[in-house]
Amino acid sequence: EDQVTQSPEALRLQEGESSSLNCSYTVSGLRGLFWYRQDPGKGPEFLFTLYSAGEEKEKERLKATLTKKESFLHITAPKPEDSATYLCAVHRRNYGGSQGNLIFGKGTKLSVKP
Amino acid sequence: GAVVSQHPSWVICKSGTSVKIECRSLDFQATTMFWYRQFPKQSLMLMATSNEGSKATYEQGVEKDKFLINHASLTLSTLTVTSAHPEDSSFYICSARPPGLPGETQYFGPGTRLLVL
């Protein structure tokens, strides 16, 4: 069964303390991997799309990387405003399965303390 | 660009009543919109794909007669929860794919919190 697993479930960092979030996936034919940020009570905000192993994308303090089995979201010198839940989603090659075309992980809740 | 709005942002209703949620793409036309549901500490789960001018495609386990979807125009999709029950209480989020972006890039609305008493 196709699935997406994110770890850790929650992460607490001090301001300036760099770390990484993990997204492991098993899908039958990856068409793309997406990272979103979700603030409490809000819809997800698009961050990155990665398509092939070895690809990297950067945006401010965030950097996303992709291998054949997992993706990492690296956060460099985080600030309190980076606190949010970060969601990973994968797009499978063959739409029509019971889980739909985008499969989401449960997310990692990041808290950055000043 | 690529702004998606939802209305209302939250709603409280009595068990047995129906609730309509609107999803609008504000600055682009979307032939396809998606409806998701998110329970606390759970993943976003796709409920259905809304297609302008045709019937929605529902995911396995989602009752199409209970969750009515209408995609009346290229900028508006509605989700009606009919005869709502407390177990329908959840966070409902819509998304749309702006034209010109690669793959499955979706932009999400702010969500609608539904509480059924």
Side-chain angles (χ1 to χ4, degrees), chain B residues 33-52:
Chain B
M33 291 184 175
F34 304 90
W35 286 97
Y36 292 82
R37 182 165 52 181
Q38 186 178 34
F39 291 104
K41 296 189 178 181
Q42 297 298 313
S43 312
L44 270 76
M45 294 299 294
L46 180 66
M47 298 175 66
T49 302
S50 173
N51 304 297
E52 190 271 335

Side-chain angles (χ1 to χ4, degrees), chain A residues 2-3 11 40 69 73-74 113:
Chain A
D2 295 341
Q3 62 181 14
L11 180 63
K69 293 186 177 181
L73 183 64
H74 306 278
K113 301 299 181 183

